[in-house]
Amino acid sequence: AVALKFLETSFCFVCLHLPPRDMWLSAEDEPIYNTMKELRMGNQESDVLTQFHHTFLLGDFSSKTLTLHRHEIQNAVNAWDYGPILAHDQLSIAIQESGLMVGFEEQTIKFAPTNFYKSQETAQSPSYSDRILSKSQPETPMQCLQYSSSPDLNSSRRSPVYGIFRFPCYRPFISLYRNIPSVSFQFDSLGIVQTTSRP
């Protein structure tokens, strides 16, 4: 994970590689929940999910496509209709039905499954393993400009997924209508001298 701050806007990016499983557990037992609970970034005493303006979860969620055969997925891809595939996607089902990662959202998927899609040698159905989830504080709106994959960069039996986002960055606020405490640090004695000045 990495945290950064640009002007007065803070960001946290958490890269995940979750283990594959046949069934996603309840929110409290999910590896993703335990990972976030133990993660300490920025303010060590604060929950990582609440202290940043924008938080991103990205990486390999190991989400499978359930009950659909390869030829059914191929037919949907040929028709550019990804809804039936997403209706059987483990992560989508866990978010909608199990309340996994409340507050996080994923942008609409408008691209073909990226995992095992070009390989006919595996019995596993093509799926959306690599994903990007995001969460923003109410006062800091964010706009997704693009959420897609790069099939031409296919490697390790999968194509990478990327997202382009736009959000306002807040500048430090300084009032011009009241006295502002000015603090200077004296490193020789580690003392703090406070004065009052008018801009």
Side-chain angles (χ1 to χ4, degrees):
V2 59
L4 59 93
K5 188 175 184 180
F6 181 74
L7 298 179
E8 293 300 306
T9 304
S10 57
F11 306 85
C12 182
F13 300 87
V14 182
C15 186
L16 300 168
H17 189 173
L18 301 180
R21 58 270 198 215
D22 293 329
M23 178 180 297
W24 287 60
L25 306 174
S26 62
E28 291 76 12
D29 297 326
E30 263 298 316
I32 186 174
Y33 176 84
N34 294 325
T35 298
M36 300 303 295
K37 183 172 62 175
E38 298 297 329
L39 184 61
R40 291 293 178 267
M41 300 289 291
N43 184 350
Q44 302 296 308
E45 303 299 325
S46 178
D47 184 353
V48 70
L49 297 178
T50 59
Q51 63 174 299
F52 298 98
H53 291 108
H54 305 284
T55 303
F56 294 86
L57 305 181
L58 61 159
D60 185 0
F61 285 77
S62 295
S63 180
K64 298 179 181 180
T65 304
L66 304 175
T67 68
L68 281 184
H69 297 290
R70 179 181 289 275
H71 72 275
E72 295 177 297
I73 298 177
Q74 184 63 60
N75 291 338
V77 170
N78 292 340
W80 297 75
D81 183 12
Y82 308 122
I85 306 175
L86 292 168
H88 295 81
D89 172 68
Q90 277 185 319
L91 180 59
S92 299
I93 295 173
I95 292 176
Q96 297 173 8
E97 298 184 3
S98 302
L100 181 68
M101 301 310 297
V102 175
F104 280 86
E105 63 178 12
E106 181 180 26
Q107 302 301 317
T108 303
I109 292 180
K110 299 180 180 179
F111 51 90
T114 56
N115 196 23
F116 301 107
Y117 177 57
K118 290 188 176 182
S119 174
Q120 301 293 332
E121 300 176 357
T122 176
Q124 183 172 337
S125 297
S127 61
Y128 295 98
S129 287
D130 297 320
R131 313 284 277 270
I132 301 175
L133 304 183
S134 62
K135 177 181 180 180
S136 299
Q137 299 298 336
E139 71 279 6
T140 54
M142 179 174 63
Q143 178 187 8
C144 179
L145 302 180
Q146 191 170 5
Y147 183 40
S148 188
S149 67
S150 299
D152 293 338
L153 300 178
N154 183 281
S155 63
S156 300
R157 299 179 299 178
R158 68 182 63 187
S159 301
V161 172
Y162 67 92
I164 301 176
F165 299 84
R166 174 185 291 167
F167 29 72
C169 291
Y170 298 99
R171 296 180 179 275
F173 173 77
I174 300 178
S175 174
L176 301 178
Y177 302 99
R178 65 189 180 110
N179 292 336
I180 303 172
S182 177
V183 179
S184 61
F185 295 90
Q186 299 178 348
F187 294 99
D188 54 343
S189 61
L190 297 181
I192 298 179
V193 177
Q194 179 171 315
T195 62
T196 303
S197 61
R198 185 183 300 275

